[in-house]
Amino acid sequence: MNVSASTGRPVIGIVARTAPVTFQGSDMVVSFALQSHLAFLAAADCTPLLLPLLPGVEAMADRVDGLLIPGGPDVDPALYGQDPHPGTRAMTPDADRTELALIRAALDSGLPVLGICRGMQLLNVLHGGTLHQHLPEITGHDGHRPDTPSFTLGPHPLKLEPGSRIAGVLDEDAPVTACHHHQAVDRLGDGLTVTGRAEDGTVEAIEVTDRPFAVGVQWEAGFTPDQRLHHALVRAAGR
C-alpha cells in the first residue's frame, strides 16, 4: 500500500546521501538528507521519506508520490562514456547505478521528480546525455563554484524559457540562481528540454518533455530560504 493512503498526505521520497561522521566520539558512516529539504517539504504538507541507496530501492517508486534527488558527489563519467577528469572526485559508481535505477522507476511510474544539482545531472545522464566535468575550463571562470575556503554560493541571473514548468514555478522577471557546482550538462539527453540558462550559457534547468512534472535545476535549492520548488513538487504529487 502507498504510504500516503494511510496518512492522507503525499509522501515524497528523498534520495539519501552517505558520509563519514564523528558522533558522540565514535566514527561512523551515516545516511542523511539536508534538513532544509525535510523542512520545506513538510511545510508544503507532505511526509518526507528518506530512501537509502541500497539494492532494490527502486521498488519504493510504488510506495511514494514523488521523488526529490538532491545534490551530492560527482557522477561516474563511465556512465556517459568518458574517463575521469583530474577534478572529478568522490565518485560512487555503485550508488550511481542504484540511484539511476530509482529515478528510472520513478519516471516509469509517472511520479513527479525534482532533481537538484547532481540530481539534474543524473536526469541528463539517464537520458543518454553527457556532462562537462570541469566547468571553469568551459566558461573561463569559477563563478558557479567560487574558489573560497568555505562553502560559498555563486549568484547568477537566470534566463528561463517562457511557458516552461520552471518559469511557472519561479514566476518572476529576473530570477537569480545560487550555485555551487563545477560540472554541468554538456550534450543534452534524449527527451529533455533546456528551460533555463545562466548568462554564460551554462544549462541551469532541464525538463523531461513527456512528463507532467519532471524538472532538474542546477542551483542549490535547499541552501536558500526559497521553498517554491519543493512546494511545486508536493503540489504535483498531490495531483
Side-chain angles (χ1 to χ4, degrees):
M1 181 179 66
N2 190 300
V3 180
S4 63
S6 60
T7 65
R9 293 155 50 101
V11 175
I12 304 297
I14 305 178
V15 178
R17 299 291 173 232
T18 59
V21 302
T22 300
F23 180 68
Q24 295 183 339
S26 296
D27 295 333
M28 62 186 74
V29 176
V30 300
S31 293
F32 68 95
L34 192 65
Q35 182 63 29
S36 59
H37 289 322
L38 302 174
F40 292 175
L41 291 172
D45 199 28
C46 82
T47 301
L49 180 66
L50 196 66
L51 301 179
L53 287 177
L54 300 173
V57 69
E58 63 271 17
M60 289 300 295
D62 292 334
R63 302 293 186 93
V64 298
D65 302 294
L67 182 67
L68 189 152
I69 317 152
D74 290 340
V75 178
D76 181 8
L79 290 169
Y80 49 92
Q82 294 183 13
D83 295 324
H85 181 280
T88 298
R89 64 185 192 279
M91 293 177 293
T92 53
D94 290 343
D96 289 349
R97 288 157 177 78
T98 300
E99 191 164 4
L100 286 170
L102 173 60
I103 299 168
R104 169 51 65 199
L107 292 173
D108 287 348
S109 297
L111 296 182
V113 172
L114 172 61
I116 296 172
C117 198
R118 166 188 162 94
M120 181 180 107
Q121 295 167 8
L122 284 169
L123 275 173
N124 190 53
V125 170
L126 179 65
H127 287 83
T130 64
L131 304 178
H132 293 301
Q133 290 193 52
H134 194 57
L135 195 54
E137 295 180 349
I138 306 302
T139 62
H141 63 81
D142 66 358
H144 291 272
R145 189 182 68 177
D147 186 12
T148 60
S150 59
F151 183 90
T152 303
L153 297 175
H156 288 277
L158 186 64
K159 300 177 181 179
L160 299 180
E161 185 67 27
S164 63
R165 298 178 187 90
I166 193 67
V169 171
L170 299 186
D171 191 26
E172 58 185 290
D173 292 333
V176 176
T177 67
C179 295
H180 189 88
H181 62 99
H182 81 113
Q183 300 195 335
V185 167
D186 180 7
R187 187 183 72 244
L188 188 67
D190 297 334
L192 302 177
T193 302
V194 174
T195 53
R197 292 184 184 269
E199 289 187 324
D200 61 11
T202 300
V203 175
E204 290 287 335
I206 61 174
E207 299 177 13
V208 183
T209 54
D210 63 349
R211 295 291 187 274
F213 190 95
V215 174
V217 299
Q218 187 59 71
W219 60 88
E220 292 289 352
F223 280 88
T224 72
D226 189 349
Q227 302 185 24
R228 287 175 292 180
L229 282 166
H230 296 75
H231 284 242
L233 174 64
V234 175
R235 286 196 300 272
R239 290 194 290 268

